[in-house]
Amino acid sequence: MKAPIPGATVQRLPLYRECLDELPAAQETISSEQLAAMANVNSAKVRKDLSYLGSYGVRGVGYSVEQLRSLIERRLGGHRAWPIAIVGAGNLGAALANYPGFIERGFRIAGIFDTDQKKVGTAIGGVPIEPIDALEAAIAERDIAIGIVATPAAVAQEVAEVMARGGVRSILNFAPTILHVPPGVEVRRVDLSTELQILSFYMSRDRPVE
């Protein structure tokens, strides 16, 4: 039985994948030291992380770039085309719907939903905007696996509940609020203001208060 991959390792795997993609096309192997330097982590941590994938490298040679890329992609689910639903067709939702990185990493926008009737029937990136009332049924009909909440905070909880009820088990939340979901539903929160506050903390720590 394979050991479960720790959450901290999972968060570093996409970073390792990005580093591999930055290598010259002709480079066939990479050492843990080189990968560690590119990812800004220590080499022992890289070796431990990659061991969870069943990849241990070869002493004096390193890791096969293509094999390592394939292992990471498979463990991250990149070998499948995951259907996504975006709720909220404002500036943020539109930017997400047009983001080319989703397709590059195996994510497909299967639906965009909004409450604004002026937007319903129009399209973003070739995907029509649908009424929010159609969300729950669309999740089941299109086998939508991941929901993205790009709404104001006031309605985000209600949207998350509809997603969970429809069968979504992974939610990416851009609304500035904490979502409460049933067991078995994973939520990742992306809050730019929180990230700025963290950066502000480090700035304040390094500069004396006047």
Side-chain angles (χ1 to χ4, degrees):
M1 182 177 180
K2 291 183 178 180
I5 301 180
T9 296
V10 173
Q11 292 187 50
R12 286 190 290 269
L13 290 180
L15 176 59
Y16 297 153
R17 170 62 194 269
E18 290 179 13
C19 292
L20 294 175
D21 288 345
E22 292 176 2
L23 295 173
Q27 182 170 335
E28 297 181 353
T29 62
I30 185 171
S31 67
S32 59
E33 288 78 12
Q34 182 184 2
L35 185 54
M38 294 178 70
N40 196 29
V41 299
N42 66 66
S43 59
K45 185 171 292 184
V46 168
R47 290 191 293 271
K48 181 66 174 177
D49 288 342
L50 299 185
S51 72
Y52 288 107
L53 306 179
S55 182
Y56 298 92
V58 177
R59 183 179 294 276
V61 177
Y63 300 86
S64 163
V65 172
E66 283 307 311
Q67 182 185 52
L68 192 54
R69 183 185 286 115
S70 178
L71 283 171
I72 293 174
E73 183 174 336
R74 179 164 291 276
R75 293 311 294 266
L76 291 176
H79 60 295
R80 293 185 54 183
W82 297 103
I84 295 176
I86 297 177
V87 178
N91 292 334
L92 176 57
L96 293 170
N98 284 312
Y99 176 55
F102 286 149
I103 294 177
E104 293 170 2
R105 287 292 182 260
F107 301 100
R108 175 176 58 86
I109 306 300
I112 304 172
F113 303 84
D114 202 279
T115 57
D116 188 344
Q117 291 302 311
K118 294 180 181 178
K119 295 179 180 178
V120 171
T122 62
I124 301 175
V127 180
I129 300 173
E130 303 172 63
I132 191 68
D133 293 344
L135 174 61
E136 187 171 350
I139 291 171
E141 292 169 0
R142 303 168 201 174
D143 196 25
I144 291 172
I146 300 173
I148 297 181
V149 179
T151 68
V155 297
Q157 179 62 41
E158 182 180 353
V159 168
E161 291 172 2
V162 173
M163 287 180 172
R165 195 163 59 240
V168 164
R169 290 295 172 264
S170 296
I171 296 175
L172 185 60
N173 176 34
F174 283 88
T177 186
I178 297 175
L179 300 179
H180 301 279
V181 296
V185 178
E186 182 74 21
V187 176
R188 297 284 297 176
R189 184 183 179 198
V190 180
D191 188 338
L192 299 182
S193 66
T194 296
E195 298 303 320
L196 286 172
Q197 289 177 72
I198 293 171
L199 290 175
S200 176
F201 163 79
Y202 288 111
M203 291 287 290
S204 300
R205 183 194 63 180
D206 297 335
R207 295 183 181 182
V209 178
E210 298 180 356

